[in-house]
Amino acid sequence: MFDIGFSELLVIAVVALVVLGPERLPKAARFAGLWVRRARNQWDSVKQELERELQAEEIKRQMQDVRQSMQDTESQLRASGEAVRREAAQAQQHGDALAQQVRAPAPAQTPPHLAEDPAMPAAAQDGGSMPPTSTDVAADAPANSVADAPIPPERQP
């Protein structure tokens, strides 16, 4: 603030002593001290008020930042929730489709020895001039195992 040294204060004190005299100088010093204290107290209260307002503004900014981050987090969570719901719905649809496939009756399958083999030429499939191979002979052989035996009608489901 003001740069007042000791020599300047000494000059002010001598002038005050000469002007006011020794009788009124102590009263004037008390009065000047009172006004200096009041000025300092007023300055300190203004300073504290400014600091409180700055702190309040800082707190408001922090609260706004926290609110914004909470809103961002909320929107991210909502988006994630929607994505999970969509995936769950897709999984449910997929599961339902698989369940329908399992419940649906299986199409009648042609025994392997009667199915057309794409590797064989058309003449051989129609009973042409090619001799039967060992797998064809085994496929035409009668069923000898219990698994290949037909189920009696009274045991069929």
Side-chain angles (χ1 to χ4, degrees):
M1 292 197 7
F2 300 107
D3 190 18
I4 300 175
F6 181 72
S7 61
E8 294 163 343
L9 284 175
L10 187 61
V11 170
I12 292 172
V14 170
V15 169
L17 182 62
V18 172
V19 171
L20 295 175
E23 294 173 1
R24 293 191 295 179
L25 184 61
K27 290 181 184 177
R30 277 190 225 117
F31 188 72
L34 177 69
W35 280 101
V36 168
R37 269 186 258 127
R38 284 183 182 173
R40 282 185 182 170
N41 287 341
Q42 190 67 23
W43 175 252
D44 286 341
S45 69
V46 168
K47 185 178 170 183
Q48 289 174 354
E49 184 68 28
L50 286 174
E51 287 176 357
R52 278 189 291 233
E53 286 182 18
L54 289 174
Q55 288 176 350
E57 287 179 21
E58 180 66 27
I59 289 171
K60 286 179 183 178
R61 276 193 297 251
Q62 289 176 353
M63 287 179 58
Q64 288 175 350
D65 291 343
V66 168
R67 282 184 187 149
Q68 184 64 37
S69 66
M70 286 176 59
Q71 289 174 351
D72 293 344
T73 304
E74 180 184 9
S75 64
Q76 289 174 354
L77 286 174
R78 287 184 190 271
S80 297
E82 289 298 321
V84 168
R85 284 189 193 109
R86 283 193 301 269
E87 289 178 15
Q90 288 175 353
Q92 181 68 31
Q93 290 173 353
H94 183 68
D96 291 343
L98 287 176
Q100 288 177 356
Q101 287 178 356
V102 168
R103 288 185 201 129
Q109 295 182 352
T110 314
H113 66 281
L114 296 178
E116 293 183 13
D117 188 8
M120 293 179 67
Q125 289 178 359
D126 294 335
S129 62
M130 291 188 69
T133 60
S134 62
T135 56
D136 290 335
V137 172
D140 291 335
N144 292 334
S145 68
V146 175
D148 293 338
I151 299 174
E154 63 270 357
R155 292 202 177 188
Q156 288 183 352

